[in-house]
Amino acid sequence: MNTYHIDAYKGDIYTCVRSRCGFCFHACPVFLSKGFETYTSRGKCMIMKAFLEGKLPASQGLADRFALCTTCGYCTSVCDVDRPEIFNAFREDLRDAGYTIPRHDEIKENVEKQHSPYGSHDESLASRFAWKIDHDSPLLYYAGCTARYRERTIAEAMMMVLPSFDLLEEAMCCGSVLYRTGYRDDAMRQARALVSRIERYSTVVTTCAGCYKTLTRDYPAMGLQIRPEVLHCTQYLVREYKGGRLTLSPVGKGTKVTYHDPCHLGRGTCEYDAPRILLEAMGYEVIEMEHTREMALCCGAGGGLKSIDDSMATRIGSMRMEEAKRTGASLLVTACPFCVRNLRDAGGGELDVVDITELIAQSARREK
Ligand code: SF4
Ligand code: SF4
């Protein structure tokens, strides 16, 4: 008898198909974009049940369909079962059956050979900030691949705000993209390599919501424990601010902003308050969007979706931009370089999109 990765989730799959409540439809970004039930969590559960019962064989069509999920976790927030975890397991089953997504295979190779999903990269960021980098520092800034190689203003802003810190000299992806596209064994190898590189630090600060969730939630789920304390930059900065080591001037006074909760920081790790505390500390007036905190709409980029269907990713991002515009805010702030990237692609020309670190860099003064 065949065994599958999704066998572990049979109970959840059957419970869903029996209840068929459909709460998961409402803000599933892929459903909102495609309009078909088979892209929702319920639809996926029905497909997986048919697969388990031998009524639907593995196929390239199924692999393509399951690749269209941002792993945003909205369905989990209304349903109490970790749906993206189940979908990732099914992506693995389909891959084991020989059905893969060529673009995801390429990304996997990039991570394997060049330690970054973006492939070749330059390390000039480290040399530009050499004056601040201290290889004996107990504090590591783990920039993550997107801020380090694609959205450098975010990494630069963070490095301006930090006291002296260390930066890994060479790229070392956390493996999030592998974990979320069905390459869990490869993700595990990557995770082990990173853990051995960071274990000497006391504190690791990330600017990427995806890296933060991967290090603090997914590594333990894979059975890996990390010795250093790992903080998202907003958590670290709130601690510095409350401890009196960081002063924030009211650069935002009179400016209305709205805040997009990155899925991996919000739903993924339940951190909703730290970014809002920082925005208010800088004097900004925060106006909430219709979907916010655990009900926030996804930006559209995650789960490997942007790499295989950029137009769908930006279509989803435009829905979020429309919500943001309806608040009347003059700035959309978020706390993840990957969200920034996709929301800017989706309509940043009409409403400026910034990462919170870029605002902090304008406002921060470090106390000695
Ligand atoms: S995934 Fe959850 S919310 Fe959606 S139909 Fe199934 S049980 Fe209901
Ligand atoms: S994780 Fe997000 S994109 Fe995927 S099915 Fe659930 S709500 Fe839809």
Side-chain angles (χ1 to χ4, degrees), residues 23-87:
F23 293 137
C24 53
F25 282 40
H26 175 65
C28 167
V30 181
F31 174 66
L32 292 178
S33 171
K34 287 283 213 185
F36 294 111
E37 176 175 350
T38 46
Y39 291 99
T40 65
S41 183
R42 182 170 84 182
K44 290 187 177 83
C45 285
M46 290 166 88
I47 289 172
M48 290 186 287
K49 175 177 173 285
F51 172 83
L52 284 169
E53 293 173 352
K55 294 174 184 157
L56 189 63
S59 66
Q60 190 58 45
L62 280 189
D64 293 343
R65 187 159 295 258
F66 272 73
L68 296 184
C69 167
T70 65
T71 66
C72 69
Y74 169 78
C75 46
T76 297
S77 67
V78 291
C79 179
D80 228 23
V81 171
D82 191 350
R83 299 287 158 187
E85 190 66 28
I86 305 176
F87 308 150

